[in-house]
Amino acid sequence: VQLVESGGGSVQSGGSLRLSCAASQYIFSRYCVGWFRQAPGKEREGVVGIGIDGSESYADSVKGRFTISRDNAKKTLYLQMNSLNSEDTAMYYCAADCSLSYYNEGLGIRDPRSLQFWGQGTQVTVSS
């Protein structure tokens, strides 16, 4: 499975971006998908994920501003990001397909260990 993100860029504080993640297979149709980000010097963190129960789990820092969606026919996952601020500056990654650790260890869907296929990332830079 190959995942390719796009849509990153530079934007001013308060602006919006929509990230896309194109998959080589129909892997976004059900559950176990997510968006993550990693800022310089920080650990990778889960932004939003959809677990096996189908529910969406957002990080508190992005609730009400970010929205995950998908177009199964296009094999594409999206992340709409509104009201961006400087703390949103990071490399953003999409990921899919729950790992054995997710099932065996009961990890949360926003734990990076929960998903096994990853894209290469797209940079988002927010300037104030």
Side-chain angles (χ1 to χ4, degrees):
V1 177
Q2 292 184 328
L3 304 176
V4 179
E5 300 96 335
S6 61
S10 296
V11 63
Q12 289 191 332
S13 182
S16 298
L17 283 174
R18 188 177 80 156
L19 305 183
S20 299
C21 175
S24 59
Q25 300 178 22
Y26 289 98
I27 200 170
F28 296 141
S29 60
R30 299 182 66 185
Y31 40 70
C32 290
V33 298
W35 285 95
F36 295 76
R37 66 186 181 186
Q38 188 166 18
K42 294 187 177 181
E43 294 185 353
R44 188 168 298 190
E45 65 170 346
V47 175
V48 56
I50 302 176
I52 57 174
D53 62 356
S55 64
E56 298 174 357
S57 174
Y58 288 89
D60 289 342
S61 59
V62 306
K63 280 181 181 177
R65 301 189 299 122
F66 290 12
T67 304
I68 190 172
S69 63
R70 48 195 165 181
D71 186 327
N72 296 328
K74 294 183 178 180
K75 294 180 287 185
T76 303
L77 187 72
Y78 302 99
L79 182 66
Q80 178 66 43
M81 305 187 296
N82 299 326
S83 302
L84 287 162
N85 58 62
S86 58
E87 295 186 352
D88 296 318
T89 295
M91 185 72 78
Y92 283 73
Y93 301 87
C94 65
D97 201 21
C98 283
S99 64
L100 288 177
S101 294
Y102 174 80
Y103 293 108
N104 294 341
E105 300 178 35
L107 302 176
I109 193 60
R110 287 189 285 110
D111 186 318
R113 297 170 295 171
S114 291
L115 298 168
Q116 61 176 325
F117 297 117
W118 291 79
Q120 84 291 345
T122 185
Q123 178 68 39
V124 171
T125 302
V126 184
S127 58
S128 56

